[in-house]
Structure formats: C-alpha cells, structure tokens
Amino acid sequence: MAPGASAGEAVVPKAECNTWVSNRAPWTGYSNCTGMLPVVERHQVKVICVDPRGSQRTVYGRGAGNGATSSASCGSNPNVGVYKVGAKVYRI
C-alpha cells in the first residue's frame, strides 16, 4: 500500500505519455503511453489538424496498450498540418 493510503483506497498508477509529430508530410501525430493498468486501459492519439484557411478538425488514432504507439494522419495534403497533438487514456 502506498504511504498515505488507507485500507480500502486503491492506488491507481498514472499513465505517462509521450507525443510527437512527423517531420514531413503526410503530417502525422503519435502517442506512446506506459504505466496504464494492464488489460483495462488503452490510449489513443488525438490530433488537431489545421488547413491554410485556419479550419480545424480532430482525428483520433487506434487504441493501443502499454508501450504501443497510436498514430493518426491529417491526410495526404501537405498543406494540412498538425496544430496540436495529445493522448487520451481510457478504460475498456
């Protein structure tokens, strides 16, 4: 049991995620997370894409487990880039 935890309190590990973006088109965002609960937690990359007019759209990658990488592309147009990239951890 962790210090400060009383009986009946579950100590849930917090996932640590790294995110990054490709260095050339097609612009793609990636996430890789560790520290998730085995079997019950997964993560997926969340990429906000922006076009030359400033229009934004959000794309999500496939769910991935501990140490696996999730990716999502903004498409084949080299003028549509990644504005922000993050990771979403969820329970299945």
Side-chain angles (χ1 to χ4, degrees), residues 62-75:
R62 293 180 145 224
N66 266 328
T69 300
S70 175
S71 66
S73 173
C74 287

Side-chain angles (χ1 to χ4, degrees), residues 38-89:
V39 182
V40 297
E41 287 186 326
R42 296 181 69 75
H43 73 93
Q44 65 185 151
V45 68
K46 176 182 177 181
V47 180
I48 300 175
C49 304
V50 63
D51 69 19
R53 295 178 311 233
S55 298
Q56 296 179 10
R57 69 181 175 97
T58 303
V59 293
Y60 293 91
R62 293 180 145 224
N66 266 328
T69 300
S70 175
S71 66
S73 173
C74 287
S76 60
N77 183 342
N79 296 317
V80 177
V82 174
Y83 175 62
K84 290 184 182 179
V85 62
K88 176 184 168 188
V89 176

